[in-house]
Amino acid sequence: TTFSHFKAGMARYLVRAKVAFAVPKLNSTKYPTPESATDVAIAFSQAYVYLSDAVSDTNRATIIADYDDVEREAFIPSDDVQEYADLLSNPDPVRLWDAFVAHAKGTVDLSGPQLHDRIQSWKWPATAGSGTYVDQVTTAISEIRALMDQAELVKDSDYPFSEALACRLFLTAM
C-alpha cells in the first residue's frame, strides 16, 4: 500500500476511534477536543498507540529509532490501550506522525524540479515482468503511483503532478 493510502486509512481510523483531534494533520473532520484534561491525555495516549500499532514490528523499530524518544521502550505489543496510556508519561502522536512522514519520504528528498525531470523522463515499461501487456500495465500504474506519492510528499506548487496529469502520462505513453 502507498503512504497516501495508509494516511487516508489512518485518518479514518482515528476519526472512528474519536481521537482524531490528537493528530491535527490527520483530522480532516475537525473532530472536537474533549473538555476534560484527563480525556485529552487518554486520547493522546490512544492515538499514539494506534499509530504505533498500525505498522509492522520491523517498520516500527526503524521509525522509533528515528523518533529518538525516551518513551520508545513503552512500545510493547499489547491489546490493552489503557496499558499503554499508563506506561506513557507524555505521548506525542503528532511527533510520532511526523516520524512516520519522515520515514515514508525515505533517504532521497526530491525537489520539485528533480521530480518533474523524473516524470518527464518516464517511459512505458515495455519489458516489465514477462513482457505481457498485463505486466506492462501493472508496472506502469505502480510506477506512476510512486511518482504521485513523491509529488504529494514534495508538494511543490511550481511543479504539480495531479491525478489528471498522471492519467495523461499513462495514456500518452501507451
Side-chain angles (χ1 to χ4, degrees):
T1 188
T2 64
F3 185 73
S4 58
H5 288 100
F6 172 76
K7 179 181 176 183
M10 197 73 236
R12 286 190 305 273
Y13 183 79
L14 293 177
V15 168
R16 282 193 308 270
K18 300 180 181 174
V19 297
F21 70 90
V23 187
K25 294 173 183 175
L26 295 177
N27 188 12
S28 61
T29 63
K30 305 303 178 213
Y31 193 85
T33 303
E35 293 181 22
S36 158
T38 302
D39 290 343
V40 169
I42 290 171
F44 268 69
S45 295
Q46 289 172 326
Y48 192 76
V49 170
Y50 295 149
L51 286 171
S52 70
D53 285 348
V55 296
S56 70
D57 290 342
T58 304
N59 282 338
R60 184 182 310 117
T62 303
I63 292 167
I64 292 168
D66 293 341
Y67 183 70
D68 192 29
D69 188 294
V70 294
E71 305 297 343
R72 67 178 165 232
E73 293 82 21
F75 282 81
I76 307 165
S78 173
D79 293 331
D80 186 358
V81 171
Q82 189 58 45
E83 179 181 336
Y84 279 95
D86 292 340
L87 289 170
L88 299 169
S89 59
N90 189 21
D92 190 343
V94 173
R95 194 163 153 224
L96 182 58
W97 179 254
D98 289 344
F100 275 38
V101 171
H103 178 75
K105 283 183 180 180
T107 56
V108 178
D109 271 338
L110 295 175
S111 67
Q114 290 170 322
L115 179 60
H116 179 74
D117 291 346
R118 194 174 284 178
I119 292 166
Q120 293 300 313
S121 66
W122 183 82
K123 302 285 185 226
W124 185 261
T127 59
S130 60
T132 66
Y133 194 61
V134 170
D135 287 343
Q136 292 175 33
V137 169
T138 302
T139 301
I141 290 171
S142 177
E143 290 174 357
I144 291 172
R145 279 187 179 156
L147 291 171
M148 286 187 66
D149 289 341
Q150 281 294 313
E152 182 180 325
L153 293 171
V154 171
K155 292 190 189 227
D156 188 329
S157 61
D158 292 331
Y159 296 93
F161 187 56
S162 66
E163 189 171 317
L165 289 173
C167 291
R168 181 165 170 68
L169 178 63
F170 179 87
L171 291 172
T172 57
M174 267 175 79

